[in-house]
Amino acid sequence: MSASRDLKAQHIEEIKSMIQGCNGMVVVSYQGISVADDTQLRAKFRAENVQYKVLKNRLVQRALNELGIEGFDKYLEGSSAFAFANGDALAAAKIVVEQGKTVKALKAKCGLMDGAFIDETVVTKLASIPSKEVLLAQLLGMLQSPISGFARAIQQVAEKRAE
């Protein structure tokens, strides 16, 4: 094998390990983004434990094919960057969609969640899901609501009897 072929095979293996090791992936179109916006985007990704890389579409396509993941063919054209969420599975989607509201050049093309292809609309819907902490707070509020209502009713009955 030639040196470049060996290097490409090595890159494909690295890409496969990134895909297998992530909780979620978003393919990002970034053509026309300014350096300042890109720097801000990368800082947000780092803060949320998201690995953001610009990779060759063809190498990513080969890695996905070797992993048996389909559906990315028509999305891996033009300039593409890849955001691999290593912590919160939705972190990459949330950051891309949030930043895409202010930076018009930034757009989610598609993604990968639980080993399955998801299109842009699903990425956008997933980004609207509240964080785990917010969901837990909402659940706690719902669980406490009937109990606190019952406690207030007992308090009012006790106050009426005391009068």
Side-chain angles (χ1 to χ4, degrees):
M1 278 185 157
S2 69
S4 76
R5 197 174 265 188
D6 288 338
L7 188 60
K8 284 181 184 178
Q10 181 182 358
H11 283 304
I12 290 170
E13 289 303 317
E14 290 172 5
I15 293 168
K16 283 171 50 177
S17 69
M18 284 189 281
I19 292 169
Q20 290 172 324
C22 73
N23 297 328
M25 178 183 82
V26 176
V27 180
V28 181
S29 173
Y30 66 94
Q31 187 171 9
I33 191 171
S34 71
V35 173
D37 289 335
D38 188 54
T39 303
Q40 183 181 20
L41 177 68
R42 287 176 186 274
K44 288 190 178 200
F45 280 139
R46 272 192 301 278
E48 293 294 326
N49 195 20
V50 175
Q51 192 175 14
Y52 181 68
K53 297 224 176 241
V54 176
L55 302 167
K56 291 189 178 242
N57 289 333
R58 184 71 189 128
L59 296 180
V60 174
Q61 183 62 48
R62 286 194 50 202
L64 289 167
N65 287 341
E66 288 180 17
L67 292 172
I69 301 170
E70 297 177 356
F72 286 87
D73 293 341
K74 69 179 183 178
Y75 296 97
L76 294 178
E77 295 175 355
S79 58
S80 299
F82 302 85
F84 300 96
N86 296 314
D88 179 11
L90 302 178
K94 287 181 181 188
I95 293 169
V96 170
V97 171
E98 175 189 317
Q99 289 295 108
K101 292 176 183 174
T102 57
V103 180
K104 298 301 178 198
L106 189 67
K107 181 183 166 211
K109 290 182 175 183
C110 61
L112 180 72
M113 189 64 62
D114 293 329
F117 170 81
I118 55 175
D119 64 2
E120 178 190 356
T121 57
V122 177
V123 171
T124 306
K125 286 179 184 175
L126 288 175
S128 67
I129 296 174
S131 69
K132 181 180 178 181
E133 292 79 19
V134 171
L135 290 173
L136 288 174
Q138 289 174 347
L139 176 64
L140 183 61
M142 287 190 310
L143 292 174
Q144 286 181 337
S145 179
I147 296 170
S148 63
F150 181 68
R152 278 190 296 263
I154 290 176
Q155 181 67 31
Q156 288 177 353
V157 169
E159 287 174 1
K160 273 192 172 183
R161 286 194 180 172
E163 294 175 357

